[in-house]
Amino acid sequence: MTSNPSLLIRNIGTLVQAEVSDQRSIAKGADMAQLPLLHNAWLSAKDGRITGFGPMSTCPDQADNIIDATDRMVFPSWCDSHTHIVFATTREEEFVDRINGLSYEEIARRGGGILNSAKKLQVCPEEDLYESAWGRLQEVISYGTGAIEIKSGYGLSYESELKMLRVIRRLKQNSPIPIKATFLGAHAIPMEYKERREEYIDLVINKMLPQIAEESLADYCDVFCDKGFFTPEETNRILKAGWKHGLKPKIHANELGITGGIQVGVANNAISVDHLEHTGEEEINVLQNSNTMPTLLPNCSFFLGIPYGNARKMIEAGLPVTLATDYNPGSAPSGNMPFVVSLACIKMRMTPEEAINAATLNGARAMELEHELGTIAVGKMANLFISKPMKNVGLLPYSFGTKLVETVVLNGVAVSK
Ligand code: NIG
Ligand code: FE
């Protein structure tokens, strides 16, 4: 039996998220500002897992592969808990329409937006969908992402939602990073069901969900609960049906207004409620009394010119804020996690420490992967990245748009330089 090569990273300027004392499974409220750092450190890995780390005075002297990380920082990979990277085409025409004055909601009402993506995806061969999503996966890995959630939701018919989920299953089988699959059949009411929305909801509940469960095609169930999309009552029915098939909720809420989405997500014990650009006192109180994680998607606010989620208020209320890219063709055509961290600091006044916790540990937790990823701990997956030379973590969000990721390590193997 051949043994896998071991890896040793030596002379690490700073090892970020090194769990030197108790291992955390979430970062909440004031604790979000605590980012454990170990200076002048080493880290070892074998068979895909972290096998050790510590100060250079205790560094082992042998390994099959040795990387010198003098003056560099080693971070655990980003955990991107909300994306839609399976899609047929980009939507730059709508981008130009918005520049010329149309709103995202107006474009959606005219059959653009999600329905436009659905029309394109329905006629796109499964192979092409797979190839383009695979390309996006490679792209986000190069930004330092080491785990990702991917949603369906551009199919909006029985055949095409299943097609999307089968593409995600194939990505899962071949991907070097963990993938969680989310069923988002309730992303929009298809044009042909406009006057028969009940029938579409029936299709989601009684036809799509059972088949998806039968083929084990999804981990989570999502609904776009918002103005002009699905009501809290409809969302409640779909989420309850999802639970019956073993799919935990993880939903889109409060992007376009205060709509009751947070409440219905929490009432259904959602893993996370995502977007939350519109969040009032009542919503914060509901989240405080729950295990549901608020996930903010600043790329979407940036790209659509809508308000940013109120991260400061959430952190002050003791909540565990998560950050994700929302990579999709309509509201966030970018899977760049370092840029998300920059936006969180620049536009939402999160500190670099808070934003890094939100994009690593809390992102892992929002995919139920907090025991596998999100921090540096012995036994966790060796998915990490080595930065270019840098002395302070603040340089990462400060240098927005600059690539500070130098080497990506996945499963204990350096995959890019
Ligand atoms: O998370 N808001 C709902 N869904 C996606 C965007 C969908 C689209 O415009 O294609 C989002 O922003
Ligand atoms: Fe989304």
Side-chain angles (χ1 to χ4, degrees):
M1 209 171 89
T2 54
S3 161
N4 290 321
S6 56
L7 174 72
L8 175 65
I9 310 176
R10 303 166 42 91
N11 298 320
I12 301 169
T14 306
L15 182 58
V16 180
Q17 284 289 35
E19 298 278 31
V20 275
S21 45
D22 287 345
Q23 210 169 299
R24 298 155 304 149
S25 55
I26 192 167
K28 291 183 188 186
D31 287 345
M32 289 195 66
Q34 302 303 320
L35 187 72
L37 304 176
L38 189 62
H39 300 292
N40 196 23
W42 61 273
L43 178 145
S44 62
K46 187 158 168 52
D47 297 326
R49 301 272 157 182
I50 296 172
T51 50
F53 64 91
M56 273 310 286
S57 55
T58 64
C59 186
D61 45 30
Q62 284 199 338
D64 299 317
N65 294 314
I66 298 181
I67 300 177
D68 186 278
T70 300
D71 295 335
R72 278 133 174 99
M73 291 196 167
V74 171
F75 287 75
S77 297
W78 309 116
C79 292
D80 190 353
S81 63
H82 181 137
T83 82
H84 312 243
I85 64 166
V86 178
F87 57 86
T89 58
T90 51
R91 304 214 306 258
E92 59 275 20
E93 303 81 5
E94 293 177 9
F95 169 66
V96 176
D97 287 344
R98 281 194 300 104
I99 294 170
N100 289 324
L102 284 184
S103 73
Y104 181 74
E105 285 159 281
E106 278 161 349
I107 292 169
R109 273 198 298 274
R110 293 171 180 206
I114 296 165
L115 297 185
N116 179 10
S117 278
K119 205 159 66 193
K120 304 269 170 49
L121 187 135
Q122 285 165 5
V123 295
C124 183
E126 194 166 320
E127 188 59 30
D128 295 4
L129 281 177
Y130 174 79
E131 288 302 327
S132 62
W134 181 259
R136 288 176 203 115
L137 188 64
Q138 301 312 308
E139 180 205 356
V140 304
I141 286 172
S142 77
Y143 301 135
T145 295
I148 194 167
E149 180 258 18
I150 310 174
K151 299 171 193 298
S152 69
Y154 290 128
L156 305 185
S157 71
Y158 175 79
E159 292 73 23
S160 295
E161 280 297 309
L162 273 114
K163 175 166 76 172
M164 281 192 86
L165 288 166
R166 289 183 188 126
V167 167
I168 300 172
R169 176 170 64 192
R170 202 168 143 208
L171 292 169
K172 268 194 191 195
Q173 286 160 352
N174 298 332
S175 166
I177 69 172
I179 294 177
K180 293 282 181 155
T182 300
F183 169 53
L184 177 54
H187 199 186
I189 298 280
M191 201 56 102
E192 61 276 25
Y193 284 91
K194 214 169 160 205
E195 307 305 325
R196 311 176 279 143
R197 55 190 296 126
E198 272 306 310
E199 277 179 48
Y200 185 66
I201 294 165
D202 267 5
L203 181 71
V204 167
I205 293 178
N206 297 319
K207 197 157 173 225
M208 294 186 196
L209 266 171
Q211 188 59 29
I212 288 160
E214 165 85 25
E215 295 184 43
S216 300
L217 283 171
D219 302 294
Y220 302 117
C221 181
D222 195 346
V223 177
F224 185 12
C225 180
D226 225 315
K227 264 200 320 209
F229 290 86
F230 291 84
T231 67
E233 188 275 324
E234 292 164 347
T235 304
N236 186 43
R237 274 196 286 144
I238 297 165
L239 296 185
K240 289 213 160 38
W243 262 119
K244 268 200 206 133
H245 292 287
L247 302 187
K248 295 179 187 170
K250 209 170 149 55
I251 72 165
H252 283 74
N254 292 46
E255 174 186 354
L256 307 172
I258 301 243
T259 53
I262 294 175
Q263 285 85 341
V264 73
V266 167
N268 284 282
N269 225 341
I271 301 272
S272 68
V273 283
D274 304 15
H275 271 287
L276 317 190
E277 287 85 350
H278 300 271
T279 304
E281 293 299 332
E282 196 187 312
E283 283 73 17
I284 300 269
N285 287 338
V286 168
L287 285 165
Q288 278 175 311
N289 295 309
S290 78
N291 290 319
T292 299
M293 301 184 78
T295 296
L296 303 180
L297 310 169
N299 273 351
C300 175
S301 305
F302 174 74
F303 190 71
L304 295 184
I306 63 173
Y308 285 82
N310 197 337
R312 284 264 55 88
K313 209 166 169 178
M314 292 176 189
I315 294 170
E316 274 154 31
L319 296 173
V321 170
T322 302
L323 289 167
T325 62
D326 196 17
Y327 193 174
N328 76 75
S331 70
S334 162
N336 188 329
M337 278 298 275
F339 184 64
V340 167
V341 171
S342 289
L343 280 181
C345 295
I346 298 163
K347 294 293 192 181
M348 307 194 310
R349 291 180 39 245
M350 291 177 81
T351 65
E353 290 78 8
E354 289 169 340
I356 292 166
N357 270 316
T360 55
L361 176 57
N362 287 353
R365 170 90 170 197
M367 292 186 274
E368 299 180 290
L369 289 172
E370 71 274 22
H371 301 300
E372 290 282 348
L373 289 148
T375 65
I376 301 295
V378 171
K380 281 196 171 184
M381 288 181 69
N383 286 10
L384 32 105
F385 65 86
I386 307 171
S387 75
K388 292 187 176 156
M390 58 187 273
K391 287 194 170 53
N392 300 305
V393 289
L395 186 75
L396 194 138
Y398 162 92
S399 311
F400 76 92
T402 302
K403 195 162 191 215
L404 290 185
V405 175
E406 190 173 77
T407 307
V408 171
V409 173
L410 295 180
N411 306 301
V413 178
V415 296
S416 77
K417 172 99 180 132

